[in-house]
Amino acid sequence: MTGHTIPTTTLGADGPEVGVQGLGCMGMSFAYGPADADASRATLERALERGVTLYDTADAYGAGDNERFLAPFLAAHRDEVLIATKFALSIPPDDPTRRIVRNDPPYIRQAVEASLRRLGVDVIDLYYMHRRDVNVPVEETVGVMAELVREGKVKQLGLSEVTAGELRAAHAVHPIAAVQSEWSLFSRDIEAAVVPAARDLGVTLVPYSPLGRGFLTGSFTDATKDLTQDDFRRTMPRFTGDNAAANAALLEPVRAVAGHHGATPAQVALAWVHQQAAVHGLPVVPIPGTRSPSRVDENTAATRITLTEADLNLLDPIADQVTGTRYADMSFTSAGRE
């Protein structure tokens, strides 16, 4: 199941058409151990060949390194792709391992100018608030983001890991095009409130980690045993120790469905996310990350798989059986505040 061009959907109620699957670029510079720059550049090109047009990054990925890495690709294909980046995770100069959540207006203005420079673009297509600082009213934050739209520095606004109430409050200030939150066979908490709110408001859902950061593909079974010391997944409770062993056992239905379709577990996991668009009645654009052109072929081919009711009945119980949280500290996620 490779070698095709994916269909399109809309980004926001009145937004542009984008490929129904995007590309998460974080791992090309940050979080998942060493990366091959040449392979990553080939991955960007292959994704475009397959119809992927939404490329996702953030200023915090490698302290700006990921944005700088994408700049040459954007320069070569500016009219063909949409670039999404984010602000809010400030990196203290004295400790590059820490992140401080900032949503205050001066910081936002500083962040957008820095991202524009690093990306080498005149305007950011989709600008996200990466995480929510509960000490700053969301209306104030989005008010500044709306000013960036009026000034021509940003085209559309997005929010990441917000609650349904925060989304509604933000949308009342300025239309929100997209909400980015974790959504996969392993992580379904947003279905309770965030997804219905997004549907009501005409907001596109952009699931990150739709492959469970690779765990759903079977590429690793225990982060502390299988991944390098600098891999971010070693800090995530569901991927280590007894949790990892219990969660690995939950993949059997994924493999069974994959066998029925002549597909891979990754394709089934992605097909399930894509199918949520019809289940919940809103546009869904997952952004699986990869650094391999062949994985782009595999991932985009998932858009051609339609899961049956029997498949869904096998897959739907998985999330309720997952042990361990997706982050050690869930307070900065929507689930931690909903």
Side-chain angles (χ1 to χ4, degrees), residues 96-243:
T97 65
R98 290 181 60 216
R99 299 291 185 272
I100 299 172
V101 179
R102 291 187 60 180
N103 292 172
D104 55 285
Y107 180 75
I108 296 170
R109 289 199 163 274
Q110 170 190 329
V112 73
E113 296 296 344
S115 286
L116 286 166
R117 286 195 302 271
R118 286 190 293 261
L119 291 166
V121 298
D122 296 325
V123 60
I124 294 166
D125 298 300
L126 177 60
Y127 199 42
Y128 286 102
M129 180 185 77
H130 202 163
R131 291 292 186 270
R132 168 97 165 91
D133 179 357
V134 296
N135 298 309
V136 179
V138 70
E139 296 89 346
E140 181 178 343
T141 299
V142 176
V144 177
M145 296 170 71
E147 291 175 5
L148 301 180
V149 175
R150 290 191 289 271
E151 294 165 10
K153 296 176 180 178
V154 171
K155 289 184 179 179
Q156 291 186 290
L157 302 184
L159 305 172
S160 181
E161 288 287 0
V162 292
T163 67
E166 291 163 351
L167 173 57
R168 292 185 187 278
H171 195 79
V173 176
H174 187 280
I176 301 300
V179 165
Q180 185 175 135
S181 289
E182 188 163 354
W183 198 7
S184 72
L185 284 169
F186 266 29
S187 300
R188 298 181 59 178
D189 50 80
I190 65 169
E191 293 175 27
V194 176
V195 170
R199 180 187 60 234
D200 293 346
L201 298 171
V203 177
T204 297
L205 238 299
V206 179
Y208 73 83
S209 299
L211 295 174
R213 299 184 184 272
F215 195 85
L216 285 165
T217 73
S219 63
F220 72 99
T221 56
D222 187 320
T224 55
K225 296 177 180 178
D226 302 335
L227 304 178
T228 58
Q229 289 289 333
D230 57 350
D231 196 301
F232 177 61
R233 291 169 288 186
R234 293 168 64 96
T235 70
M236 296 177 165
R238 63 177 46 169
F239 299 145
T240 59
D242 292 342
N243 288 342

Side-chain angles (χ1 to χ4, degrees), residues 3-4 7 45 47 86-87 89-90 95 98 146 152 155 210 218 229 234 248 251 257 260 289 292 300 302 330:
H4 67 287
E45 296 287 349
K86 315 177 192 73
F87 73 88
L89 297 181
S90 174
D95 186 357
R98 290 181 60 216
K155 289 184 179 179
Q229 289 289 333
R234 293 168 64 96
L251 300 181
V257 173
H260 296 157
S292 164
T300 54
M330 289 287 288

Side-chain angles (χ1 to χ4, degrees), residues 314-331:
L314 281 174
L315 299 172
D316 282 348
I318 292 175
D320 288 338
Q321 302 174 65
V322 173
T323 60
T325 53
R326 49 193 174 98
Y327 293 101
D329 178 4
M330 289 287 288
S331 64

Side-chain angles (χ1 to χ4, degrees), residues 36-53:
D36 181 314
D38 288 339
S40 293
R41 282 189 283 268
T43 300
L44 297 173
E45 296 287 349
R46 180 66 61 82
L48 185 58
E49 292 171 6
R50 296 289 175 256
V52 173
T53 55

